[in-house]
Each structure stands twice: as structure tokens, then as C-alpha cells.
Amino acid sequence: MVSKKVKLLYLISISVFLTYLLLLLYHYSEIAQTVASHVDITGKVDGYSSKKSLLISSGVNLLILVFIGLLIKNPKSANYPVEITDGNRESMYKKMQLFLCLIAIITTSVFSYMVFKAIGLEKNFIYLILYLIIAPLIAILYFGRDKKVQS
């Protein structure tokens, strides 16, 4: 069973993916034929490729999201650093699902930076990052509240 918190966190990565994919498709004709394909840690571009690589990388990102989504739905298929027992199964599955959601959000935001840079919106990328920080916090605070037991 997948909790509402996990579903919401996974939906954040899907929404980031759809946002940057729609931006890419909308601005595709305006993008130069050669785009930055690799940026080093200082922000200097050190690799270039065709703008079609943006579509290919979006497809790769989609495959990663689908794979992560399948693992979230089926956490018993994931690889764990500890032995899964009847005593820890529930806890480990929940932790793995949250971890996978975090990986999905980070992966999608990294892929999205290439599109933001190609479109010329890398200065607006900070808004996406703020969204990625604030939205999960709000979700965790909302879903992490203690439910009042009604008698």
C-alpha cells in the first residue's frame, strides 16, 4: 500500500517533469541547434550536443520515473542494505518509498536544468528549486500531523 505522503511526493517529480517537458516543447523551435549537454561543478559548459538530445534526455528521465514508480508500488522488489524480516518489513518499505520519491525529485530537477539552460530560463531555475524544497515540506507537515482519534 502506498501512502498519500508518498503519492504526493512522487507527484512532485511528475509535475516537475511535465513542467519542463511542456516548456521544452513550447520553446523547441526557438532553441539553438547546438545546446550545452554538460556543465561542470563551477557552472562552465564543457560539452555540447544537438537540441534533439534534450528530447532524448527527457525520454530517459521518463523511463527513470516509470522505473522508480514501479519500485514505489512494489517495494519488495528493491534492494535493501539489511535483511527484511516480519518485524521490520513495514518500516523498511515505507523508508524505501520515501527515499525513492526523493531520488525521483532530485533526478527530475537535474534533468530539468538542461532544458531551463537551453531555453534561457536558468535564472528562473531558483523558483523550481524553491518549489522542490517547499512543496515536500508542506506535504510532510500536512500528512505528518497526528490524526485526532475520534471516539
Side-chain angles (χ1 to χ4, degrees):
M1 185 68 158
V2 180
S3 69
K4 286 183 180 181
K5 181 182 355 181
V6 169
K7 287 179 184 177
L8 182 64
L9 290 173
Y10 184 70
L11 280 175
I12 290 170
S13 63
I14 298 295
S15 69
V16 171
F17 173 76
L18 291 175
T19 299
Y20 90 75
L21 183 64
L22 290 174
L23 280 170
L24 173 62
L25 295 174
Y26 183 76
H27 293 283
Y28 193 75
S29 62
E30 303 164 12
I31 298 173
Q33 290 300 317
T34 304
V35 295
S37 61
H38 190 268
V39 180
D40 69 11
I41 196 161
T42 63
K44 181 182 174 194
V45 176
D46 61 0
Y48 295 91
S49 63
S50 164
K51 72 179 183 178
K52 291 178 185 175
S53 67
L54 296 171
L55 294 172
I56 293 169
S57 66
S58 297
V60 169
N61 190 188
L62 179 61
L63 289 174
I64 291 170
L65 286 174
V66 167
F67 180 71
I68 289 174
L70 291 172
L71 280 176
I72 288 171
K73 242 183 148 165
N74 237 342
K76 66 182 175 218
S77 300
N79 190 11
Y80 293 87
V82 297
E83 183 179 345
I84 302 297
T85 64
D86 289 338
N88 70 0
R89 179 173 287 115
E90 189 80 23
S91 170
M92 292 305 293
Y93 285 179
K94 285 181 182 179
K95 288 177 184 176
M96 180 58 80
Q97 288 172 326
L98 288 173
F99 175 73
L100 289 168
C101 287
L102 180 63
I103 294 298
I105 291 170
I106 291 169
T107 302
T108 305
S109 63
V110 169
F111 275 97
S112 70
Y113 183 72
M114 291 187 304
V115 172
F116 273 74
K117 187 141 182 81
I119 294 172
L121 296 175
E122 67 270 9
K123 289 180 177 38
N124 296 336
F125 189 68
I126 190 67
Y127 296 116
L128 178 65
I129 297 301
L130 287 174
Y131 171 73
L132 292 174
I133 293 169
I134 293 170
L137 286 175
I138 291 171
I140 289 169
L141 290 173
Y142 178 76
F143 289 107
R145 297 185 309 199
D146 289 335
K147 305 278 187 217
K148 291 184 180 178
V149 179
Q150 295 182 9
S151 40

